[in-house]
Amino acid sequence: MLKCWQAFIGLALMLGLAVSAGAQPELNLAQASQEIESKLADRSGKPADVRLVIDVSGSMKRNDPANLRQPAVDLLMQLLPEGSKAGVWTFGKWVNMLVPHQVVDEQWRSLGRAKASEINSVGLYTNIGEALEKAAYDLDAPSDEYAKHIILLTDGMVDIAKQPDKNTQEWRRIVDEVLPKLKAAGYTIHTVALSDNADNNLLKKLSLQTDGIASVAHTADDLMKIFLGTFDAAAPAEQVPLAGNQFVIDSSVEEFTALIFRKNPADLTELIGPDQTVYSAASQAADASWHRADNYDLITIKQPLEGEWGLSVDMDDDSRVTVVSNLNLRVKAMANNVYIGHDQLLSLVLQEDGKTITRPEFLELMTITAKIMAGNNEEVLAEFWKNELTDGEPPFDGRYLEDLPTFEKEGVYELTVVVDGKSFVREFKHSFSVRQPFNAEVEKQFSDGELNFILKVESLSSDVRVDKTQIVASITSPSKRKMVKPLDLTKMDTWQTELMPDDEGMYFIDIRIKGSTLDGSPFESYITDVKFKFSNEGGFSEEQEPIVDPAKQEEKETKKAEPEEPAKPTDEEGEAEAQEAGSEPQQPVPAWLLYSAIGIGNLLLFVGGYFIVRKLLGSGSSDEDLLEQFSEESVEEATSPKEELKPVDDEEEPPMEDLDPATADDVVEEPEPITEQEKEQEPEPVEEPQVEQLEEPAMDMLDEPDDAEDIAEPEAYDAVDDGIDDLDEMALEEPESQDEDEDDDMVAAMLKAQGLDLADDELDDAISNLIDDLDDDEEESK
């Protein structure tokens, strides 16, 4: 009986460990985080040095037919604060300085606006590498007075010659030589791809390895907003909240600039002051300057009146009002890219005439609120987190610190900080992306007139040795057909394999990555539960779960709208009301009774589990037989699928040996009870040693991180795991029949698999051994 209980407890422990035992060395992102922190500290508080690098190749005629690059560059020139530095370069085959790199003033702006009209689309090639080098002309002697940013806009790929080999060599030169130099010199590179045909892999490398923003303008109309968001990251400006077409200006504001995007470009914008003075583009007020463009107004008012200002126009949400003041909200520079599981620290101070305010009587008047909105893209954001920073005593040094929540999902996040000082209001906004170390996507490619779908994986971390990294994907089709496919490394530092969809519906892809970092440390990483929906008309499209649960968000908003409930009566009041109503007051449940009920429930569950185990393993077994069956069969049952999958023929894949699921003949049936007469006739069996049989399956179980239920359900298909020793143990077992050679053939086929139909219980072994086989082939080739 004691051994039976030990078996039951052991089974429970191992099932629990099976979920978490697959812990492997993960990719260490600490170094990348430290580099970003160092850069943030270096650029915090410094004026911006912004260098615009604009593609003027001939393909821009197609991707920017209205030449919206001109008004976008013009807007940035108007928004750059005086005292910052800026310059503009254009590139095709050759690189030209369009606007000199100088300190920003009115003369520079006038020259820039005139030159912006010369941006065209006449270049023959796309010389990205030389354009970056020309923009960073002072790379060998950079100034530490400015925070240096490069904004690169292009619609194409590296293209310097007609020979593909020369373009590939130039691509590698940019990644291996130019990028490390720019990174070491402290440049932050922001990239804007004005086409889905742009080399997004290269642009992401440039941006993410320098903590810049990587954006894609799917249409030319998106360009203005993306340029504005990039500018906010490069040269953040202090704002006041703009809500309901109104904003408040306090006495400390020396100048404000209102950027108003009109929803209807034909509308006329009017600005109404606190004294009801009306400003418009036709006004000739001495204290106002007005620039009206095709879809926006840029209005600057110097020495504005204190009070509430209004706007009479239907405006877009991207409109904002920035201020120049001697009373400022200063927020420490924050990362533009955050890896999943990492935190950000919000650090802010209020300054007057450049000095931090520490007076308690002043800080006690402040109400500082921080809020984060989140979503899968910029278009759909919902409230993710909100907190008030001014609860309790004000900080003695005037610095407010707040740990932002840990980010567990990829997406776009927007932080807003509002300071309400009763007599003034300030606002700060910061957008950032949360990413995984690796990214997976499905792309369309045309080859020989045929449309192909390519699963591509790219590394977003700068600490990965791409030549020492192997990647394998397990793919589940809508018909529950499972395939294991290795991904091949390309010359452009991506891994890819072809997907051959056999039917429409949802495809689940789990990706396992095994490699080493730049310092030689091994790591394993996973991209789990990636969902792509396939249709014959639209191809593959990724299905993403919302970051914020819409139901919870709606419930939260409903609670805010509901009136507060009246205060509940105290215990004495409730007791008196109950007595008046003729009923006795309710007595609370005694604590000893509650704990006794919990204890009895746990005991019943434990005893019930024991009998379940006895029933599963056979009521006629002895304690020794019970342990033997547990060691050999319970682990197999815990990791076997609940539902067998019928093999599906794959005519498009190379002919390979399929690994069929276990048939009914392979299942060990429970023996019938032996009668007393049969016991006397049969010889007593020789008892086999039990220790080794119990130990090996237990270790296998610890190597399995998947939960049995998760493996059986495609909707919760877990990340593929280490089962590295399973095939070796199959080879070490004593042969029982002539099927041994067939088993070896199946193992060999699995190790060389390019696409297999697998049962769930064989999936982990195939992937683990496939990665090891790829590593061995690489070593032999050397």
Side-chain angles (χ1 to χ4, degrees):
M1 179 64 72
L2 176 60
K3 293 182 179 179
C4 180
W5 281 111
Q6 290 174 343
F8 174 70
I9 295 172
L11 175 62
L13 288 174
M14 285 201 294
L15 287 176
L17 287 173
V19 179
S20 59
Q24 299 292 336
E26 296 183 354
L27 184 60
N28 185 3
L29 303 173
Q31 182 178 356
S33 298
Q34 290 175 359
E35 291 177 355
I36 292 175
E37 287 293 333
S38 176
K39 172 177 284 190
L40 295 175
D42 180 64
R43 75 186 187 202
S44 186
K46 294 182 178 179
D49 179 350
V50 181
R51 310 180 188 199
L52 300 175
V53 182
I54 310 299
D55 188 347
V56 293
S57 60
S59 58
M60 280 292 187
K61 293 179 181 178
R62 178 178 64 256
N63 294 309
D64 185 16
N67 202 357
L68 293 181
R69 288 162 292 166
Q70 289 185 1
V73 172
D74 182 41
L75 174 61
L76 262 63
M77 290 178 176
Q78 303 305 315
L79 292 177
L80 281 166
E82 292 194 9
S84 59
K85 292 183 71 174
V88 182
W89 288 260
T90 59
F91 71 96
K93 180 178 181 179
W94 312 109
V95 183
N96 299 296
M97 178 179 283
L98 183 67
V99 182
H101 181 236
Q102 296 175 354
V103 176
V104 174
D105 54 20
E106 287 301 324
Q107 182 179 357
W108 183 90
R109 286 197 181 95
S110 298
L111 175 63
R113 292 186 61 186
K115 289 290 185 179
S117 61
E118 298 179 12
I119 296 175
N120 51 40
S121 305
V122 298
L124 296 178
Y125 292 98
T126 309
N127 196 347
I128 296 176
E130 186 176 346
L132 292 172
E133 290 176 310
K134 288 291 182 67
Y137 67 92
D138 55 350
L139 185 65
D140 295 331
S143 172
D144 292 333
E145 299 178 10
Y146 296 87
K148 300 177 290 295
H149 298 262
I150 294 177
I151 300 178
L152 170 65
L153 183 146
T154 181
D155 72 335
M157 309 179 73
V158 174
D159 180 23
I160 62 172
K162 294 182 179 180
Q163 296 83 0
D165 290 345
K166 288 188 177 180
N167 294 328
T168 301
Q169 292 175 3
E170 175 66 8
W171 193 98
R172 290 246 56 100
R173 188 184 76 86
I174 296 172
V175 172
D176 298 335
E177 298 178 18
V178 178
L179 175 57
K181 290 180 181 179
L182 293 172
K183 183 178 177 180
Y187 281 89
T188 300
I189 305 174
H190 309 279
T191 60
V192 181
L194 194 57
S195 168
D196 288 328
N197 296 323
D199 191 345
N200 287 304
N201 179 34
L202 174 63
L203 299 183
K204 284 181 182 178
K205 277 183 176 292
L206 294 171
S207 294
L208 302 186
Q209 293 194 22
T210 60
D211 191 38
I213 294 177
S215 303
V216 179
H218 296 288
T219 65
D221 294 335
D222 296 336
L223 182 59
M224 183 73 73
K225 295 180 180 180
I226 289 177
F227 249 49
L228 188 59
T230 303
F231 170 79
D232 287 341
E238 192 164 24
Q239 303 181 24
V240 295
L242 175 58
N245 282 36
Q246 295 178 331
F247 59 95
V248 176
I249 296 297
D250 60 86
S251 59
S252 68
V253 174
E254 301 170 1
E255 174 183 306
F256 74 77
T257 299
L259 174 60
I260 309 301
F261 289 98
R262 304 185 300 272
K263 287 186 176 181
N264 183 359
D267 286 349
L268 296 178
T269 303
E270 290 184 338
L271 178 65
I272 305 167
D275 59 352
Q276 301 306 308
T277 300
V278 178
Y279 300 83
S280 68
S283 301
Q284 300 295 327
D287 57 347
S289 62
W290 198 296
H291 174 67
R292 178 180 171 86
D294 291 338
N295 64 334
Y296 71 88
D297 293 274
L298 188 65
I299 313 157
T300 299
I301 304 292
K302 294 185 177 181
Q303 302 300 325
L305 289 177
E306 177 183 357
E308 185 176 80
W309 291 70
L311 289 155
S312 63
V313 68
D314 190 10
M315 59 185 179
D316 198 284
D317 293 338
D318 291 317
S319 303
R320 77 275 307 277
V321 177
T322 59
V323 297
V324 176
S325 170
N326 66 342
L327 182 59
N328 309 108
L329 166 64
R330 299 301 187 200
V331 180
K332 184 179 178 181
M334 303 181 71
N336 294 312
N337 301 279
V338 180
Y339 289 111
I340 284 180
H342 283 228
D343 302 323
Q344 285 226 73
L345 176 66
L346 173 62
S347 175
L348 61 92
V349 297
L350 288 166
Q351 291 185 344
E352 186 175 23
D353 296 328
K355 296 181 179 180
T356 300
I357 301 174
T358 60
R359 302 190 306 273
E361 63 274 11
F362 180 87
L363 297 179
E364 287 174 352
L365 299 175
M366 302 298 108
T367 300
I368 304 176
T369 305
K371 180 177 67 175
I372 296 179
M373 306 290 286
N376 293 321
N377 54 63
E378 298 87 348
E379 303 300 325
V380 182
L381 298 178
E383 185 176 309
F384 171 75
W385 172 85
K386 187 175 182 179
N387 194 26
E388 185 175 326
L389 278 62
T390 45
D391 285 340
E393 296 293 327
F396 72 95
D397 59 352
R399 182 172 298 276
Y400 292 87
L401 301 175
E402 181 71 18
D403 288 320
L404 300 183
T406 301
F407 306 104
E408 301 292 350
K409 292 184 179 181
E410 289 183 278
V412 177
Y413 294 75
E414 182 182 80
L415 169 68
T416 302
V417 179
V418 177
V419 177
D420 184 353
K422 307 304 182 287
S423 61
F424 72 96
V425 183
R426 294 291 184 272
E427 184 178 67
F428 167 84
K429 288 189 175 182
H430 171 66
S431 296
F432 58 97
S433 297
V434 175
R435 305 177 185 273
Q436 294 194 75
F438 291 85
N439 178 62
E441 58 187 15
V442 178
E443 293 185 348
K444 294 181 181 179
Q445 290 187 5
F446 287 91
S447 178
D448 298 330
E450 294 184 357
L451 175 63
N452 300 316
F453 296 100
I454 304 298
L455 172 63
K456 186 176 76 172
V457 176
E458 57 187 344
S459 171
L460 303 183
S461 171
S462 59
D463 194 34
V464 173
R465 282 283 304 271
V466 294
D467 58 327
K468 295 293 184 182
T469 299
Q470 302 288 351
I471 299 181
V472 173
S474 64
I475 305 160
T476 304
S477 71
S479 60
K480 298 184 180 179
R481 176 189 175 204
K482 296 184 183 299
M483 299 193 68
V484 179
K485 301 195 73 173
L487 278 70
D488 300 321
L489 178 63
T490 70
K491 294 181 180 180
M492 304 301 185
D493 291 353
T494 63
W495 297 264
Q496 62 184 39
T497 189
E498 184 176 356
L499 293 182
M500 303 182 69
D502 49 8
D503 50 343
E504 292 186 312
M506 193 71 69
Y507 285 74
F508 296 83
I509 302 178
D510 286 336
I511 299 171
R512 177 179 173 182
I513 304 155
K514 182 179 180 181
S516 63
T517 59
L518 295 180
D519 63 2
S521 302
F523 74 88
E524 289 195 20
S525 185
Y526 301 89
I527 307 177
T528 61
D529 200 25
V530 183
K531 303 175 185 177
F532 290 97
K533 189 174 183 179
F534 176 74
S535 63
N536 292 323
E537 294 79 11
F540 282 95
S541 59
E542 186 173 0
E543 294 287 318
Q544 294 180 315
E545 297 293 334
I547 296 176
V548 180
D549 188 350
K552 292 183 178 179
Q553 179 69 13
E554 185 177 352
E555 181 181 352
K556 185 186 297 184
E557 293 177 355
T558 302
K559 287 183 177 180
K560 288 181 180 178
E562 290 178 352
E564 295 184 3
E565 295 182 1
K568 294 183 179 180
T570 62
D571 293 342
E572 295 180 357
E573 292 173 347
E575 192 172 324
E577 292 177 2
Q579 289 177 355
E580 289 177 4
S583 61
E584 294 185 3
Q586 295 182 351
Q587 298 295 331
V589 178
W592 66 267
L593 182 58
L594 179 61
Y595 293 134
S596 299
I598 294 174
I600 293 172
N602 289 334
L603 181 59
L604 290 175
L605 287 174
F606 202 73
V607 173
Y610 162 71
F611 285 107
I612 290 172
V613 172
R614 289 296 300 267
K615 185 174 182 180
L616 289 173
L617 302 181
S619 59
S621 302
S622 64
D623 287 345
E624 288 77 13
D625 292 334
L626 184 62
L627 283 175
E628 179 179 355
Q629 292 181 27
F630 161 72
S631 64
E632 295 179 349
E633 297 176 18
S634 61
V635 174
E636 179 180 350
E637 291 174 3
T639 58
S640 65
K642 293 181 179 178
E643 179 182 348
E644 293 181 356
L645 302 176
K646 296 180 180 180
V648 180
D649 294 334
D650 182 10
E651 298 177 358
E652 299 178 357
E653 291 291 326
M656 302 295 295
E657 295 253 26
D658 286 347
L659 298 184
D660 296 330
T663 63
D665 296 336
D666 298 327
V667 178
V668 179
E669 296 183 357
E670 191 68 30
E672 295 292 336
I674 301 175
T675 64
E676 294 296 333
Q677 185 177 359
E678 290 173 334
K679 287 183 179 179
E680 294 176 359
Q681 294 176 357
E682 291 183 1
E684 185 176 351
V686 179
E687 185 176 348
E688 292 290 335
Q690 304 298 318
V691 176
E692 195 163 345
Q693 294 178 0
L694 176 61
E695 181 178 333
E696 289 184 2
M699 290 302 296
D700 290 343
M701 194 65 192
L702 293 178
D703 286 338
E704 290 289 338
D706 289 339
D707 186 63
E709 294 182 2
D710 292 339
I711 295 175
E713 295 293 335
E715 292 79 3
Y717 188 57
D718 283 347
V720 289
D721 271 306
D722 271 344
I724 298 175
D725 299 328
D726 289 354
L727 294 178
D728 295 335
E729 291 174 8
M730 290 170 58
L732 292 175
E733 290 179 356
E734 295 184 5
E736 296 181 358
S737 66
Q738 58 185 3
D739 295 336
E740 180 179 1
D741 294 336
E742 296 177 6
D743 292 340
D744 292 338
D745 292 340
M746 287 191 294
V747 173
M750 182 166 57
L751 291 174
K752 298 178 181 179
Q754 296 299 317
L756 298 176
D757 293 336
L758 297 179
D760 287 340
D761 56 349
E762 298 158 339
L763 189 60
D764 292 345
D765 295 343
I767 293 171
S768 298
N769 287 277
L770 183 55
I771 289 181
D772 294 339
D773 189 54
L774 292 171
D775 291 336
D776 294 341
D777 291 344
E778 183 180 356
E779 295 296 332
E780 290 176 3
S781 63
K782 294 181 180 179

